[in-house]
Amino acid sequence: MQLKDTIHESRAFLNRAIVAGLLVAIAALALIWRMVQLQITNHEHFTTLSRENRVKVVPLPPTRGLIYDRRDVLLAQNRPAYSLEITPEQVDDIDTLLKDLAQVIEINDDDLERFWQLKKRKRRFDSVPIRVNLSPDETAQFAVYRHRFPGVDIKAQLLRHYPYDVKTTHVLGYVGRVSQRDLEQIDASNYAGTSHIGKNGVERTYESALHGSVGYEQIEINAAGRRVRTLEQTPPEPGVDVHLHIDIALQEVAMRAFGDNNGAIVAINPQNGGVLAFVSQPGYDPNLFVEGISRKDYDALQENPDRPLYNRALRGQYPPGSTIKPFMGLAGLEYGTIQFDTSAYCPGYFQLPGNTHKYRDWKKSGHGSMDLDSAIVQSCDVFFYKLAYELGIDRLHDFLSQFGFGDRTGIDLTGESTGLLPSRQWKRRARNQPWYPGETLIMGIGQGYFLTTPLQLAAATAAIANNGTYYTPHVVDYLQSRATGEITPIPPTSQPIPKALQQNWDDVRKGMTNVVESPRGTAKRIRSSEYRIAGKTGTAQVFTVGQDEDYNEEEIDKKLRDHALFIAYAPVENPQIAIAVVVENGGHGGSAAAPIAREVMDAYLLNRDEPLEATQ
Amino acid sequence: MSYSPRQLGDLTPTDPNRRQGLLAVFHIDLPLLVGLLLLCGYGLIVLYSASGENLGQVERQALRIVLAFMVTLAIAQLNPGTLRRWSPSLYAVGMLMLVGVLVFGEIGKGAQRWLDLGIVRFQPSELVKLAVPLMIAWYLAEQRLPPTWQRLLFAALMIAAPVLLIAKQPDLGTALLVASAGAFVLFLAGISWRLIGGLVVAAAAAAPVIWYTMRDYQRQRVLTFLDPENDPLGAGYHIIQSKIAIGSGGLYGKGWLNGTQSQLDFLPERHTDFIFAVLSEEFGLIGVLILLALYLFVIARGMYIATRAQDTFTRLLAGSLTLEFFVYLFVNTGMVSGLLPVVGVPLPLVSYGGTSLVTLMAGFGMLMSIHTHRRLLPT
């Protein structure tokens, strides 16, 4: 019985074992089918996915080109800077870490704000800066505590630095972190690895040259995204060095000469339009912007009543005042409205025929009998009221526009203002009013609607100095590739101003020379014994004086005082430098503005090799 | 039918499985031993690559393999009768420990699985993997087969109790293995096909109930299995990366140590649960087929031992242990290749780790014991 059962059970078991074996076989076949499906049928698909997994293309950012002044003084450099960076992946609790870190190293709210913002944009294994521009002391201090902060490291990177900071701001501009708006305007792929971009000034205008071209490397990465090895590389093309016409020595001299005053000075080489000095006072430290300016610093700049962020040389629009008189005189001569020796009587005021309104001269008692030369030298207003009236607004507008007034000069800096050269058409368009003859008169002395930028004045002065060639002012002289040494000049562009008679130009220059050289000249105080200067002073009204009131300089607020202007070039015989100076609320051009021009000219013409030290 | 305790070398000349020399003396089944050694050796080669050429890890695993083989040999010396007698006690101890784990257990990776016995940390669920088939085989072998409904119900309860305790730890993979081991005993014991059919229907009906009792991460695994691309960086990441590894291996593989998915850390848990993907990537379909051939050889040998066993207990035990081994293999490879949901089951004998290795090898020790202690049948 037992045996029978055993045999029966053995049979039954064998049956079940066979069924189980079949099930095993079916399952094994299903598995093999699955493997064939993955490894044979879809092999290529998975090979592609596997390759995409492990190979990453990494941009190699180019090194930014350097900027030099005309004597190869380095104005913008790339300096290794140390920042403290956190790799979120390696940190368990960032909030606690930040709290602990703040015990060791100073971290302010701006740092925290930037950290959280940048962190959002980066991957977990990318490090995010918490502090930038560590001082050597801070670097050493952190090194002591380093072991307490896993995932926190000191990183070195090349950061733009402007050794002459405030002295170069308004011409060099600065670089800042690439923003979303920047990315919309540039070839984003070329900036794939670049953190900074030119925001302003030369840094912006010559951005593409300075930046260079991005390189690429194919790297193999692991699952955490870390580099394992390099597979292929295309090196980046470094940015090109930029050499300026700007002379840092002149910048320095000009700024010193300005003292506490606000204003602008532009000096141009009349032979090629190269800008030798370009100062807007006050300036600001561009280095603040490189790593992202703190809110506090930015607010301070914004709220400063002297408006340091405002580029007066490029964007400031001032009535030219009497500095326009040589151009008026030249217009009169060229159109034949007056001769060099045509004289007019100045009683201290001018009246339009059939009108009782008195257009007053700055000299209440009048200048007496005036010809063009003495009218320029003594800056007689009545002479130019009369001349402007006779020329008429249309001829005035046409003539002055040849000197670049009323339009952007086309300098290689961005954000330039146009100034305003009024005309009948302009007034109809802008104000929907006819042009009144009285407006022509005050335009004759550079007042009224007429507005010029210091840059426009300097460029126009250069055209008088070089005898009739209007050069588009430019800051950059040439580009030079560091790799090949190859030089790409930035050629001057110019426009000849048509001449009726050469003598007219000589006569006006003679008048300008007498402004400085003649004992009655309004700028006689800057007369130099070593070279001869030609110039013209100007005063631009900020505050309108009533018809019968006196203008008392002492009594009005400094903010309402007249702007002092001065244009000049030197040496008279062979002009090397043409200058326009505006001193805001400086009062008289001869006393406030002219001495600044003289110092810059001296520095340029006499002390060409004065050594300089960068402010560090 | 009863066994008498035997002494070493107590084989009579009439023993049908009489062998000469050391193999016979030490109760070793040569085909099984060779199959297992080849599998472990193959595993070590893959582990060297999967561990990132970490020789220390390979050495540690080799040491574990040596220890596990010693366990195999030790158990092979036991008479199956001894195993049978111990079955109820082993089961009782296992159950006590499972309850102990729930009360005193240590938590590791979000699950309570370990029991600290002072000297060693012990995973009671491993013991239960063996204790359940032993217990059920013992219980069913007490009476004539096929079992009565009453005994079946009681057997089912004895399976369900540890399974539920393990699932509560929670350790779905081990629960599944234990359940399958118990179920195979029942299946091999010859329960009627009608009942099997009924159970399948019942299981399908119970699926929604199970769904609601599952933990979040367990549900997530099922959902991820159904649509891994739905969550490519979260739970689906494992499966996507593992399929890429396998698929990009192709027919011949990328070569040993050259699997980019494995070597560059894209593959998670590559030296433990996902080591099959490393093998597939580096050795290709050919390497997979070699591995499967070795496994199937071991399984075939196990089934052969089962069919040649001389009594109900040893038959049921050998058969269910062998089939449990196959479930082990199938659940792991099925999971890694995306055929089944992700359940934490290692690739038997190949994955890095000692606990399951010892259990498995102890099971093979039992197979050897069963095969080498056969007596000449009467008549």
Side-chain angles (χ1 to χ4, degrees), chain A residues 256-537:
Chain A
R256 208 185 305 131
F258 259 99
D260 292 337
N261 289 314
N262 297 343
I265 177 165
V266 177
I268 290 178
N269 179 347
Q271 305 309 325
N272 60 16
V275 177
L276 301 169
F278 191 92
V279 168
S280 172
Q281 265 291 80
Y284 57 94
D285 184 357
N287 294 307
L288 291 175
F289 286 82
V290 175
E291 255 310 328
I293 188 164
S294 72
R295 182 144 298 283
K296 196 185 92 209
D297 288 345
Y298 190 71
D299 286 346
L301 286 175
Q302 277 276 309
E303 285 158 16
N304 186 332
D306 291 330
R307 300 173 72 194
L309 294 174
Y310 182 45
N311 192 336
R312 292 169 163 82
L314 193 65
R315 303 177 56 82
Q317 305 191 101
Y318 305 91
S322 302
T323 58
I324 205 66
K325 286 174 182 167
F327 301 91
M328 300 298 299
L330 185 58
L333 293 173
E334 291 278 273
Y335 283 116
T337 312
I338 52 166
Q339 304 297 312
F340 185 63
D341 51 4
T342 303
S343 76
Y345 183 76
C346 167
Y349 61 89
F350 181 80
Q351 278 176 307
L352 282 168
N355 196 320
T356 54
H357 185 93
K358 287 181 176 175
Y359 293 89
R360 304 198 305 178
D361 196 285
W362 62 270
K363 195 172 175 185
K364 226 176 167 183
S365 58
H367 291 91
S369 182
M370 289 275 120
D371 60 8
L372 179 61
D373 186 72
S374 51
I376 290 176
V377 169
Q378 297 178 39
S379 201
C380 168
D381 289 340
V382 170
F383 184 89
F384 289 98
Y385 287 144
K386 182 163 182 288
L387 175 57
Y389 176 64
E390 284 164 13
L391 276 166
I393 177 61
D394 299 329
R395 288 199 285 186
L396 267 183
H397 173 268
D398 291 350
F399 186 79
L400 289 175
S401 60
Q402 298 179 95
F403 287 85
F405 292 115
D407 201 357
R408 292 186 182 88
T409 62
I411 191 174
D412 43 0
L413 296 174
T414 52
E416 192 185 354
S417 293
T418 56
L420 176 58
L421 180 62
S423 65
R424 278 183 213 278
Q425 291 79 2
W426 167 80
K427 197 165 176 212
R428 178 57 71 191
R429 202 173 55 241
R431 308 254 162 144
N432 196 23
Q433 278 173 0
W435 184 262
Y436 299 114
E439 291 165 343
T440 312
L441 297 197
I442 54 169
M443 200 177 145
I445 61 161
Q447 303 282 358
Y449 303 120
F450 197 4
L451 294 172
T452 60
T453 66
L455 177 65
Q456 285 174 335
L457 273 177
T461 307
I464 292 221
N466 68 23
N467 193 30
T469 305
Y470 182 82
Y471 282 101
T472 299
H474 54 282
V475 170
V476 174
D477 188 0
Y478 60 92
L479 310 176
Q480 185 169 25
S481 155
R482 195 119 42 99
T484 62
E486 188 194 345
I487 286 178
T488 313
I490 306 292
T493 50
S494 63
Q495 184 92 41
I497 299 172
K499 263 181 223 152
L501 192 64
Q502 176 60 47
Q503 185 60 44
N504 296 338
W505 290 71
D506 297 338
D507 289 343
V508 168
R509 281 199 294 267
K510 186 164 159 260
M512 286 178 75
T513 308
N514 286 335
V515 168
V516 180
E517 296 293 321
S518 150
R520 306 193 66 171
T522 49
K524 60 176 186 280
R525 69 169 67 192
I526 67 158
R527 188 173 178 278
S528 164
S529 57
E530 284 162 281
Y531 59 93
R532 293 209 302 159
I533 302 170
K536 180 69 192 83
T537 59

Side-chain angles (χ1 to χ4, degrees), chain B residues 64-130:
Chain B
R64 287 184 189 134
I65 289 172
V66 170
L67 285 171
F69 268 92
M70 284 163 68
V71 170
T72 306
L73 292 185
I75 290 178
Q77 310 315 312
L78 299 173
N79 191 300
T82 315
L83 286 174
R84 186 177 185 171
R85 271 195 308 282
W86 287 358
S87 296
S89 330
L90 269 178
Y91 180 81
V93 169
M95 284 300 288
L96 276 175
M97 284 177 151
L98 281 182
V99 173
V101 157
L102 279 186
V103 182
F104 311 108
E106 279 185 35
I107 295 176
K109 284 193 179 177
Q112 277 185 322
R113 295 179 188 175
W114 299 89
L115 202 59
D116 198 334
L117 298 180
I119 313 162
V120 282
R121 289 199 317 155
F122 184 73
Q123 221 173 325
S125 53
E126 289 296 327
L127 173 67
V128 174
K129 277 182 195 167
L130 295 174

Side-chain angles (χ1 to χ4, degrees), chain A residues 2 5 9 13-14 16 19 24 27 31-32 34-35 38-39 43 46 50 53-54 220-223 228, chain B residues 1 144-145 187 190-191 241 246-248 250 254 260-261 264-266 280 285 307 312 315 330 333 337:
Chain A
Q2 219 178 33
D5 277 357
E9 279 182 17
F13 178 83
L14 194 64
R16 286 297 160 102
V19 172
V24 167
L31 189 65
I32 292 170
R34 176 63 171 177
M35 297 310 284
L38 291 177
Q39 299 195 287
H43 173 57
F46 286 116
S50 151
N53 251 349
R54 77 177 176 103
E220 186 174 271
I221 55 162
N222 65 15
V228 177
Chain B
M1 214 176 172
R144 190 182 304 175
L145 293 180
F187 175 76
I191 57 169
Q241 294 301 340
I246 297 171
S248 63
K254 295 176 183 171
T260 53
Q261 287 288 107
L264 300 172
D265 295 337
F266 290 101
S280 307
L285 184 60
T307 55
T312 306
R315 266 199 291 269
F330 186 72
T333 51
S337 62

Side-chain angles (χ1 to χ4, degrees), chain A residues 70-88:
Chain A
R70 60 192 300 272
R71 291 188 296 184
D72 294 336
V73 177
L74 189 56
L75 303 183
Q77 65 191 43
N78 301 318
R79 208 167 62 158
Y82 298 93
S83 56
L84 197 62
E85 311 212 341
I86 298 178
T87 311

